[in-house]
Amino acid sequence: FQLDRRMVPHFINTRKFDAGITGYDLFLASGAKELREVAGLNFSRSTNQPTRWVLVCKKSFDVGQFENQPARIACELPELAKQLLPHAGLRFKYNIFQIEGSEEQCVANGLTELAMIVTETGNSIEANHLEIFPGFEEVLVSTPIVIARKNLDYEQQEDELDRQLRFHSALP
C-alpha cells in the first residue's frame, strides 16, 4: 500500500498495518512511543543523500532585535521543532508557528524571522536569498526508515521485511 508518509505512524499505531516506511523526522514528530525503528534506508527525494533539517533566516538577520520580543519561527512540523530547538542552543526567545509549505517564502517576505526547514540540496534556500543560521546547518539528519509495532514477533517480522526489501530492490 502507498500512504502519505506522514500517516504511516498513525496507521501502524491503529494496527491497520504492522510496519511501514516513513522519514525519521516524521517518526519523531509523530511522538509514537509504541513503535520502533527496524531499518534505515539511505536516499531522499532527489539524491542518494539524507535530508537535513536546518534553521534559515534572511542574510540581514540581527539577533539583537529579539532581546525584548520573541522571534517567529515557521515550521511545517511544529512538534518536531519543539522537540529539537530547545536542545539546539538558540540564545533568544522564539515562538514556533505551523506553516504548510513555503517556509522559505515566509522568511523572505517577512512573515516570520526564521524557519526550520528540511533540505536536500539547499537550492530553495539560495533561491529565496536566505542563509542557514550559523550553527544550525544540521539540526536533524533524516532518511527513510522502516518502522513497526514494538510487539511484533521479531523473527517473523525481520524475515518478511527482508523478503520485501529484496523484492523491491530488484525492481527496475
Side-chain angles (χ1 to χ4, degrees), residues 5 25 33-35 37-38 53 76 82-83 113 118 130 145 151:
R5 65 197 193 290
D25 51 353
K33 305 272 188 251
E34 34 313 297
L35 303 180
E37 181 179 345
V38 175
W53 282 87
E76 184 179 6
K82 289 174 185 174
Q83 287 180 43
E113 289 78 32
V118 64
L130 303 176
I145 59 171
N151 62 351

Side-chain angles (χ1 to χ4, degrees), residues 44-54 56 104 117-127 132 137:
S44 59
R45 187 174 298 167
S46 46
T47 69
N48 287 336
Q49 301 300 313
T51 59
R52 297 175 297 136
W53 282 87
V54 301
V56 298
E104 297 95 327
I117 65 166
V118 64
T119 186
E120 294 176 50
T121 63
N123 291 340
S124 64
I125 297 168
E126 189 176 309
I132 297 176
E137 297 84 2

Side-chain angles (χ1 to χ4, degrees), residues 1-15:
F1 295 92
Q2 182 172 341
L3 305 169
D4 183 298
R5 65 197 193 290
R6 295 177 192 218
M7 293 302 296
V8 170
H10 171 74
F11 280 111
I12 297 171
N13 266 340
T14 59
R15 299 183 178 270

Side-chain angles (χ1 to χ4, degrees), residues 16-89:
K16 302 287 183 202
F17 296 93
D18 294 322
I21 298 174
T22 190
Y24 179 66
D25 51 353
L26 298 172
F27 174 58
L28 286 179
S30 76
K33 305 272 188 251
E34 34 313 297
L35 303 180
R36 67 184 178 93
E37 181 179 345
V38 175
L41 308 169
N42 193 31
F43 65 89
S44 59
R45 187 174 298 167
S46 46
T47 69
N48 287 336
Q49 301 300 313
T51 59
R52 297 175 297 136
W53 282 87
V54 301
L55 193 62
V56 298
C57 60
K58 286 185 178 181
K59 294 179 181 178
S60 61
F61 182 77
D62 176 19
V63 174
Q65 66 187 12
F66 299 104
E67 291 177 11
N68 299 319
Q69 65 180 5
R72 297 167 296 177
I73 300 177
C75 187
E76 184 179 6
L77 300 174
E79 291 306 314
L80 183 64
K82 289 174 185 174
Q83 287 180 43
L84 298 175
L85 288 178
H87 309 289

